[in-house]
Amino acid sequence: MSTPETVVKLAELTGKTQEAPFVLTDDERHEIEHEIAHYPDARAASIGALKIIQARRGWVPDGALEPVAKMLGIGAAELEGVATFYSLIYRKPVGRHVVKVCDSITCFMVGYEDIKKTLEQHLGITHGQTTADGRFTMLPICCIGACDKGPALMVDDDLHHDLTPDNVVGIVEAYK
Amino acid sequence: MATIHVDGKQYDVDGADNLLQACLNLGLDIPYFCWHPALGSVGACRQCAVKSFRDENDKMGRIVMSCMTPASNGTYISIDDEEAKAFRATIVEFLMTNHPHDCPVCEEGGHCHLQDMTVMTQHHSRSYRFTKRTHLNQDLGPFIGHEMNRCISCYRCVRYYKDYAGGTDLGVYGSAANVYFGRAEEGTLESEFSGNLTEVCPTGVFTDKTHSERYTRKWDMQYAPSICASCSVGCNVSPGERYGEIRRVENRYHGELNGYFLCDRGRFGYGYTNLKDRPRHPLIDGATVTSDVALGAARGMINGASKVIAIGSPRASVEANYALRTMVGAASFYDGHATQEGELVKLALQIVRDGPVPATTITAMEDADAVLVLGEDITATAPRMALAVRQAARGKGRALADEKKVSDWQAISLADLLQRDSYPVFVASVDSTRLDDIAHATVRAAPEDLARLGFAVANLLDASSPAVAGLDEATAAQAKAIADALAAAKKPLIISGTGAGSTAVMQAAANIAWALKAKNDATGLALTLPEANSYGLAMLEPQPLADALEALASGAADTLVVLENDLYRRAPKAVVDAALAKVKSLIVIDHTATDATARAQVVLPAATVFEGDGTVVNYEGRAQRHFQVYDPKYYDASLAQVESWRWLAVLEAASGWKILDDITGACATAVSGLAGIVDAAPGAAFRIDGLKIAREPHRYSGRTAMRANQAVSEIRQPVDPDTPLSFSMEGYNGVGGLDRPAALMPYAWAPGWNSPQSWNKFQQEIGGHLRGGDPGKLLFAGGATQAYFTDVPAAFTPSGSGSGFRVLPLHLHFGGDELSSRAEPIRERASTAFVAIARADVARAGVNGHATVSVDGELVQLPTFISDTLPAGTVGLPAGFAGVPFVAYGVDATVSGG
Ligand code: SF4
Ligand code: SF4
Ligand code: FES
Ligand code: FES
């Protein structure tokens, strides 16, 4: 047991900063309890609880897993499984605005790649990255139901369609 | 029964199986990953594809997953179909797109299911040209290595760890082509059954870290069929040796005991045998001497004694204890258990051997539909039972599936039906246990009160069993709930044992089992025992240890022979000191350096379970033989450790015992209850095709060079006169298609099957009994109805003031077992010694972080652990821990701050 293996902590890997100990706010706690009350098994509120945290903090910090899992009566590992399965639960901090570019089949056929390239050039980031000023994060997303008007993307909760390399820059620039 | 047609041939199979299992049962190979006999089917990997046809005229067919398709009557399939073969080759290639192809440096190599399946599917060359996804690994503690890049996402690990073993700290993260199996945060895996991951994972993601530093490929180790010495379950193990060291312990399948799984103490606790400071040479007053000199001195001491007495050992074989008893005579042969523990073991024998409910096998425990654990933390005292009880609780999923006409191998459907439901498990114990997470109700009380609860349950089940006077309302309600659940069950199971240190607790458990048995023949019972061979020793009817210590202290005996026993673990230090102070000559035969060997004039170095042959008797009364894995003298002729019985046979030359069979046979003849031990395994004369059975795989390499540092000529392999096994790759190795008897299987290997999955090639049916019968011989023939026990104890009354507290033994999985706790990885995993005190008593005891505990005049300072579950008026001490004094049952301690 003498040679410890080279070990990198997952937390360090993703560039997360070590924050102060995480404490659930009363407000978060109440709303999660409320969510749990909807189901016969608290576990079923896992996604809801994660969304509650994300709505307030923009993402789900590491420290949230343990106390939220406890409320749900599951292990932190199980909750992290849920959190990491869904691409719209953010386990890293994101920018003020999240640009979600549809890369599903129809949009792909009608010009997704050009849209992506344009955004990359304009924002200087690619999928999974955040601009240095913290304004934008860029992510791929599955079909958002606008296939007939593709290519399409979402900025935060807004849908934008009929994109072209020419109009897309203006669209995202509207988000300060 | 169902008739299925595979590649034009007709077969009769069990229609309740899936096609994969049915075909494997028939000896037909289909490659698979996510299916596992103990875990069922999930259809995740797509490796087990076959072509299925509507009927004999259908020539098109379609691809189905054999593990997800029932083997129903009139099924037509093809394994050999070209399209199915191509599909399977594509699947393995696809699963391996991200695999690093690093077999040469991978510790799974040579016993890897992925290698076996890749060869089976004939995926020879890869075409993936792109960047592979890579992962960072986690430090999962001292037992398990982690190398995530090798993962093929079969999900077996989480299904085993979470669903099967009840662990909560291993999960799966991410989705699609980017999934990660590990902990939410780096850290030691918490489950006491984590080691099975190394065998469950079909790739080199989870490997045995204790093996890592002194690594040897499977084919390059020498093995023997062995028995775990770390508790009374007696799991079958396959230890591997190279260069005179045990390098790894793997599971040896047993259809009624351990099945596919061991506990971590049993798997990772072998290191004590490799310790450098073990006695390996005879000592006289601490100085190394030759065997002849030591034996001469011992003989002189024995002949010159006014009176010789001997103390046996529950961790030594039946043969060793019997040889000792023969040497000194039954009247001078004393128990190696602590005095009260010896009484408890005797009582357990009486209940299980003579009573109407024999001990339930581990496999049968998994079928129980209501379980009461009375007085034990079985995760510590008989760990493999705890894993079985977890399956019993989950068994409700099978019943729900049955109602819905869902096959029991449909693992996901079962889990969906079950959700958080389970069959009732009740845990009544002195403090919280590691099974509480599946308990429908827990009771925390002092042993007297646990016994009263038990007696009350029995009384509710059968009014002719004794009633409990003055039972409080809450306990009465608990008793009612437990009795109702047990009475309603089809297969109720009671587990108790010696762990609480109380005869009353075991008697209460017996009353419950017996009351149930009168109404329900399927009632199960199991009593855990202190050590691996507690029954084997008890059946030799030793005198109580206290009498030995007294005879020594009083001078009635002046010479003592101690067999594999550290007396300081068996009685208060002052009592042992007083006895040993009077002893003229002390002879200790042991393989481990203890406080007792330190006091001995003569130390004769014994073989560990890995280095010697012998028979042990487990909690069911099953006699099991463990065989010598290797001969230490092959590497270093000066090494002198041999089986204790062999030292004693030489000392007792008149016995005429030359080989193991001689002494096993003599013991079987002399002790009627042990007559069956000769049948625990075939004797030394057994041969297959005129051959001994090879301990080494036929691909064993490098033997010629092994001792080249000493001499270039290769010396003759050691001869094994005691057993039908050879210290060689020469001999019968199973390649010829004849079965080796299950008790003589050193390791699992079948053509094309190098991984532990090869056990499936030796079973009567997959996951069932081994062909030719599971190893061992049950010694108990079945008892008769007994009168109920009637001594209901009075309730425990805590002394409300002062510094007096009842001491309760707390059993922990790691650190309390004498031998495994000397292994470095176990020490790393074990907690430090402590004293547990009820929150309510903190003020009375005046403790603050530390406490001074005085038991029987022995004073120790220990860190305190405040417990919310320990009954008021008691303190808990971790049983068997170094630095914790010996505690007799019912003893009070004084506890004060400091
Ligand atoms: S770690 Fe092993 S058991 Fe787990 S999914 Fe990967 S290959 Fe399968
Ligand atoms: S349950 Fe007991 S016999 Fe089985 S591996 Fe664990 S310690 Fe050994
Ligand atoms: S494919 Fe892009 S919106 Fe449907
Ligand atoms: S074994 Fe059948 S799909 Fe994995």
Side-chain angles (χ1 to χ4, degrees):
Chain A
M1 297 299 85
S2 55
T3 33
E5 287 167 20
T6 321
V7 162
V8 180
K9 294 202 167 161
L10 277 184
E12 289 162 13
L13 191 198
T14 48
K16 287 170 207 157
T17 43
Q18 301 294 331
E19 319 102 61
F22 183 95
V23 188
L24 281 180
T25 64
D26 286 348
D27 167 48
E28 284 166 330
R29 197 169 276 284
H30 287 145
E31 195 156 341
I32 292 171
E33 273 161 9
H34 182 73
E35 186 74 17
I36 289 172
H38 291 321
Y39 303 99
D41 185 340
R43 207 163 35 153
S46 297
I47 301 172
L50 290 167
K51 283 167 72 181
I52 289 165
I53 303 293
Q54 183 160 302
R56 281 158 182 75
R57 304 181 188 246
W59 66 300
V60 177
D62 290 356
L65 293 174
E66 199 70 58
V68 173
K70 208 167 180 181
M71 292 184 72
L72 300 168
I74 57 178
E78 193 171 341
L79 187 64
E80 175 75 322
V82 174
T84 53
F85 181 83
Y86 293 103
S87 52
L88 295 184
I89 300 287
Y90 306 135
R91 287 288 286 107
K92 292 205 285 185
V94 291
R96 283 199 302 286
H97 304 290
V98 182
V99 182
K100 291 161 275 196
V101 193
C102 174
D103 64 352
S104 286
I105 190 143
T106 312
C107 293
F108 197 91
M109 289 192 305
V110 298
Y112 154 75
E113 283 180 306
D114 291 339
I115 302 299
K116 179 180 173 234
K117 207 175 290 156
T118 308
L119 285 172
E120 283 173 347
Q121 274 163 5
H122 178 69
L123 299 175
I125 54 171
T126 186
H127 284 325
Q129 297 178 341
T130 301
T131 52
D133 59 2
R135 183 169 164 206
F136 289 114
T137 295
M138 199 174 138
L139 289 174
I141 194 169
C142 278
C143 176
I144 42 181
C147 314
D148 55 332
K149 305 183 199 77
L153 60 67
M154 289 180 79
V155 182
D156 303 336
D157 290 337
D158 309 332
L159 174 69
H160 300 277
H161 46 78
D162 297 308
L163 305 175
T164 64
D166 294 335
N167 68 12
V168 70
V169 169
I171 289 174
V172 297
E173 272 307 319
Y175 293 85
K176 301 296 172 195
Chain B
M1 269 299 156
T3 302
I4 64 167
H5 306 261
V6 184
D7 287 313
K9 285 207 199 104
Q10 184 174 324
Y11 301 94
D12 286 333
V13 300
D14 183 348
D17 282 349
N18 58 65
L19 278 172
L20 173 61
Q21 188 161 354
C23 288
L24 292 172
N25 267 333
L26 293 168
L28 303 172
D29 283 347
I30 302 177
Y32 61 86
F33 287 114
C34 62
W35 177 82
H36 183 287
L39 304 176
S41 305
V42 291
C45 71
R46 317 316 273 175
Q47 188 58 65
C48 66
V50 296
K51 188 68 91 51
S52 157
F53 303 93
R54 248 192 335 274
D55 52 40
E56 58 202 309
N57 300 318
D58 179 5
K59 296 284 175 277
M60 286 284 293
R62 63 196 176 95
I63 299 267
V64 299
M65 295 309 125
S66 59
C67 73
M68 297 298 283
T69 312
S72 41
N73 206 27
T75 299
Y76 286 80
I77 58 164
S78 170
I79 302 171
D80 273 346
D81 176 82
E82 286 305 323
E83 200 187 2
K85 282 204 298 205
F87 183 95
R88 294 195 298 261
T90 326
I91 289 293
V92 80
E93 181 170 9
F94 171 67
L95 290 174
M96 289 180 72
T97 47
N98 286 310
H99 185 281
H101 298 264
D102 60 342
C103 300
V105 297
C106 174
E107 293 179 8
E108 191 79 353
H111 69 144
C112 174
H113 188 63
L114 177 60
Q115 283 181 332
D116 289 351
M117 297 300 102
T118 308
V119 172
M120 192 184 285
T121 44
Q122 300 183 359
H123 162 50
H124 300 302
S125 57
R126 58 197 129 120
S127 44
Y128 183 72
R129 294 174 288 113
F130 309 98
T131 313
K132 300 188 182 217
R133 62 101 182 87
T134 53
H135 293 293
L136 290 166
N137 303 316
Q138 294 179 321
D139 183 345
L140 300 174
F143 298 153
I144 317 259
H146 194 218
E147 182 51 66
M148 254 308 292
N149 290 344
R150 300 185 182 125
C151 178
I152 56 159
S153 305
C154 69
Y155 282 70
R156 268 193 192 177
C157 52
V158 279
R159 291 170 55 222
Y160 163 73
Y161 193 91
K162 278 172 67 179
D163 304 350
Y164 192 94
T168 56
D169 63 328
L170 185 85
V172 47
Y173 315 107
S175 69
N178 187 25
V179 284
Y180 189 91
F181 296 82
R183 281 174 45 95
E185 263 183 341
E186 179 166 279
T188 300
L189 285 170
E190 286 161 10
S191 168
E192 290 82 355
F193 304 95
S194 68
N196 297 314
L197 286 172
T198 65
E199 295 191 39
V200 163
C201 173
T203 77
V205 175
F206 296 108
T207 52
D208 183 338
K209 213 188 236 182
T210 70
H211 180 205
S212 188
E213 244 175 274
R214 308 281 288 154
Y215 182 75
T216 307
R217 295 265 177 232
K218 177 171 179 170
W219 68 72
D220 274 343
M221 285 189 279
Q222 173 163 252
Y223 305 86
S226 191
I227 307 295
C228 174
S230 282
C231 87
S232 64
V233 175
C235 293
N236 287 203
V237 293
S238 172
E241 170 270 350
R242 183 87 184 181
Y243 298 118
E245 291 170 346
I246 296 299
R247 294 288 173 89
R248 174 171 73 193
V249 168
E250 278 205 314
N251 184 60
R252 183 165 64 95
Y253 183 89
H254 189 294
E256 294 187 333
L257 284 174
N258 40 298
Y260 294 92
F261 304 125
L262 299 174
C263 77
D264 287 358
R265 184 164 86 211
R267 184 185 295 271
F268 300 119
Y270 60 86
Y272 70 91
T273 193
N274 296 336
L275 289 179
K276 292 281 170 283
D277 67 349
R278 255 185 64 195
R280 290 170 206 262
H281 301 97
L283 305 172
I284 294 182
D285 295 326
T288 301
V289 295
T290 65
S291 296
D292 286 343
V293 170
L295 282 165
R299 264 193 214 104
M301 288 172 172
I302 290 169
N303 294 336
S306 68
K307 167 91 181 139
V308 186
I309 63 169
I311 295 173
S313 170
R315 65 165 160 86
S317 66
V318 170
E319 287 85 352
N321 280 292
Y322 174 73
L324 187 64
R325 187 180 92 156
T326 308
M327 188 175 86
V328 295
S332 302
F333 177 63
Y334 291 88
D335 200 351
H337 292 105
T339 306
Q340 288 167 328
E341 215 162 57
E343 282 166 24
L344 293 168
V345 175
K346 243 161 82 183
L347 173 65
L349 199 55
Q350 184 193 337
I351 294 169
V352 168
R353 180 185 59 188
D354 307 336
V357 188
T360 306
T361 64
I362 297 287
T363 328
M365 286 180 186
E366 297 179 351
D367 290 332
D369 55 353
V371 184
L372 168 64
V373 184
L374 190 66
E376 289 286 314
D377 184 352
I378 50 174
T379 309
T381 56
R384 189 59 186 79
M385 282 186 200
L387 195 56
V389 169
R390 288 186 180 277
Q391 306 326 307
R394 272 164 28 97
K396 187 162 188 188
R398 284 198 302 274
L400 295 172
D402 203 41
E403 275 171 28
K404 296 258 188 308
K405 308 251 175 301
V406 172
S407 303
D408 65 2
W409 40 263
Q410 290 276 16
I412 294 184
S413 311
L414 257 63
D416 282 348
L417 286 166
L418 192 62
Q419 295 295 331
R420 295 209 199 189
D421 200 0
S422 62
Y423 277 139
V425 174
F426 300 95
V427 181
S429 54
V430 296
D431 200 353
S432 56
T433 78
R434 294 282 288 158
L435 260 193
D436 292 354
D437 58 310
I438 58 160
H440 282 211
T442 57
V443 177
R444 302 281 109 94
E448 290 91 327
D449 296 330
L450 296 175
R452 287 166 64 81
L453 171 74
F455 279 111
V457 172
N459 180 255
L460 287 166
L461 292 166
D462 179 354
S464 74
S465 80
V468 180
L471 202 64
D472 62 88
E473 230 170 80
T475 312
Q478 284 160 340
K480 172 96 172 52
I482 296 170
D484 286 348
L486 293 174
K490 289 199 190 77
K491 293 182 179 173
L493 169 66
I494 313 301
I495 300 179
S496 185
T498 56
S502 154
T503 49
V505 165
M506 283 204 296
Q507 291 174 341
N511 277 11
I512 300 173
W514 295 348
L516 283 165
K517 175 77 173 184
K519 300 189 187 113
N520 181 351
D521 204 43
T523 301
L525 172 68
L527 298 178
T528 73
L529 307 165
E531 293 190 38
N533 194 31
S534 283
Y535 273 162
L537 173 58
M539 290 169 84
L540 292 167
E541 299 181 341
Q543 313 297 324
L545 178 65
D547 295 0
L549 298 176
E550 168 141 2
L552 297 167
S554 71
D558 64 346
T559 296
L560 173 65
V561 185
V562 175
L563 170 68
E564 301 186 30
N565 207 330
D566 180 1
L567 298 180
Y568 287 91
R569 293 174 66 90
R570 313 289 183 184
K573 183 171 187 304
V575 177
V576 179
D577 278 344
L580 295 187
K582 289 290 193 59
V583 168
K584 192 172 88 193
S585 313
L586 173 63
I587 302 165
V588 177
I589 311 173
D590 207 342
H591 48 67
T592 292
T594 68
D595 290 346
T597 55
R599 307 266 318 234
Q601 278 105 320
V602 176
V603 175
L604 300 175
T608 63
V609 69
F610 305 104
E611 295 163 341
D613 310 311
T615 311
V616 290
V617 183
N618 81 345
Y619 80 97
E620 313 161 83
R622 186 188 301 262
Q624 303 199 94
R625 182 97 13 98
H626 61 82
F627 292 96
Q628 189 179 10
V629 179
Y630 72 106
D631 181 358
K633 288 190 186 60
Y634 178 69
Y635 300 98
D636 178 352
S638 83
L639 294 179
Q641 71 263 41
V642 292
E643 293 99 337
S644 299
W645 55 259
R646 191 155 251 136
W647 283 118
L648 290 159
V650 179
L651 272 176
E652 183 69 3
S655 67
W657 301 321
K658 293 273 176 291
I659 63 167
L660 179 74
D661 288 345
D662 297 339
I663 181 163
T664 309
C667 177
T669 312
V671 187
S672 62
L674 290 168
I677 59 171
V678 286
D679 300 322
F686 179 86
R687 296 288 182 278
I688 295 181
D689 266 355
L691 295 172
K692 282 192 151 210
I693 291 165
R695 281 179 170 90
E696 295 166 2
H698 58 295
R699 291 172 181 145
Y700 194 87
S701 69
R703 195 172 82 187
T704 357
M706 235 167 188
R707 296 175 76 263
N709 60 330
Q710 297 171 46
V712 287
S713 63
E714 186 188 353
I715 62 160
R716 194 167 162 222
Q717 281 304 111
V719 178
D720 183 353
D722 296 303
T723 82
L725 299 159
S726 66
F727 291 109
S728 175
M729 62 282 226
E730 286 109 33
Y732 192 77
N733 52 25
V735 178
L738 294 170
D739 277 339
R740 292 159 289 185
L744 295 180
M745 294 261 295
Y747 58 91
W749 182 87
W753 296 79
N754 298 285
S755 84
Q757 291 289 303
S758 48
W759 284 111
N760 298 342
K761 291 281 165 189
F762 301 100
Q763 298 151 341
Q764 292 171 23
E765 55 178 47
I766 305 289
H769 301 289
L770 288 167
R771 280 201 300 273
D774 291 310
K777 168 78 182 170
L778 285 174
L779 300 178
F780 305 161
T785 307
Q786 305 282 317
Y788 285 118
F789 291 105
T790 53
D791 287 341
V792 181
F796 171 67
T797 37
S799 75
S801 60
S803 56
F805 291 87
R806 165 71 73 78
V807 189
L808 301 176
L810 299 182
H811 297 274
L812 287 129
H813 185 86
F814 299 111
D817 169 54
E818 181 183 4
L819 299 179
S820 67
S821 61
R822 292 169 182 255
E824 183 57 34
I826 301 280
R827 294 210 326 222
E828 230 180 281
R829 187 72 171 74
S831 83
T832 47
F834 61 87
V835 54
I837 185 154
R839 193 174 293 283
D841 290 330
V842 172
R844 167 156 78 99
V847 298
N848 180 14
H850 273 76
T852 304
V853 182
S854 157
V855 194
D856 279 321
E858 203 181 337
L859 219 69
V860 284
Q861 255 227 348
L862 293 167
T864 48
F865 169 74
I866 314 269
S867 169
D868 285 317
T869 37
L870 202 64
T874 70
V875 291
L877 286 177
F881 266 58
V884 170
F886 171 84
V887 179
Y889 173 61
V891 157
D892 280 354
T894 58
V895 178
S896 55

